[in-house]
Amino acid sequence: IEVPLDKEILIGRSSVCDIRLLSKDRYFTQAVSRRHAKVMYNGDSCILTDNNSANGIFVNYKRISPLKPVTLKVGDVIIFGGGGKTPIGEVKRFRSEFRYVVEKSIRYPLYKKV
């Protein structure tokens, strides 16, 4: 996933999303909300926000707060969905088809599926 410098990117399973997270496995697809998250630049920082999704976003295996932007760093592990009722800030390790690692510099990030 490459994030352009000049626009906000919507991530989810809806057809209106810039990046669609879909799986052949219905369980994984349903774990992602229609408009799950957004990612954008703010100066030199890449910012990820959970759009109040049902199953959350985990950064480095910790669930982030909905609607509270998080600054990403190289090496961060990002997981979309699968968290269910996991409390904010709690660490949870689980299998997910939607796991990515921030691979390049924040100025030109590339998120690699792992």
Side-chain angles (χ1 to χ4, degrees), residues 1 11-13 19-23 28-29 32 80 98 100:
I1 298 171
I11 302 170
R13 61 183 163 91
I19 298 170
R20 295 184 72 197
L21 299 179
L22 301 172
S23 171
F28 288 115
T29 297
V32 174
F80 296 93
F98 305 117
Y100 300 86

Side-chain angles (χ1 to χ4, degrees), residues 10-99:
L10 187 59
I11 302 170
R13 61 183 163 91
S14 170
S15 62
V16 302
C17 291
D18 302 295
I19 298 170
R20 295 184 72 197
L21 299 179
L22 301 172
S23 171
K24 292 177 184 174
D25 184 328
R26 187 169 182 219
Y27 169 80
F28 288 115
T29 297
Q30 294 301 316
V32 174
S33 295
R34 286 178 185 87
R35 296 176 182 183
H36 202 97
K38 64 184 175 184
V39 64
M40 61 180 281
Y41 278 97
N42 184 2
D44 285 342
S45 298
C46 190
I47 309 296
L48 175 69
T49 305
D50 180 338
N51 284 341
N52 206 22
S53 65
N55 290 303
I57 298 174
F58 292 74
V59 175
N60 299 324
Y61 303 99
K62 285 187 179 181
R63 187 166 187 167
I64 65 172
S65 297
L67 307 174
K68 185 177 178 186
V70 172
T71 302
L72 299 174
K73 303 178 301 299
V74 172
D76 282 348
V77 176
I78 304 161
I79 303 171
F80 296 93
K85 302 290 183 200
T86 303
I88 304 303
E90 185 171 312
V91 174
K92 183 174 182 181
R93 294 186 184 267
F94 52 91
R95 188 173 145 254
S96 174
E97 285 194 24
F98 305 117
R99 183 184 349 223

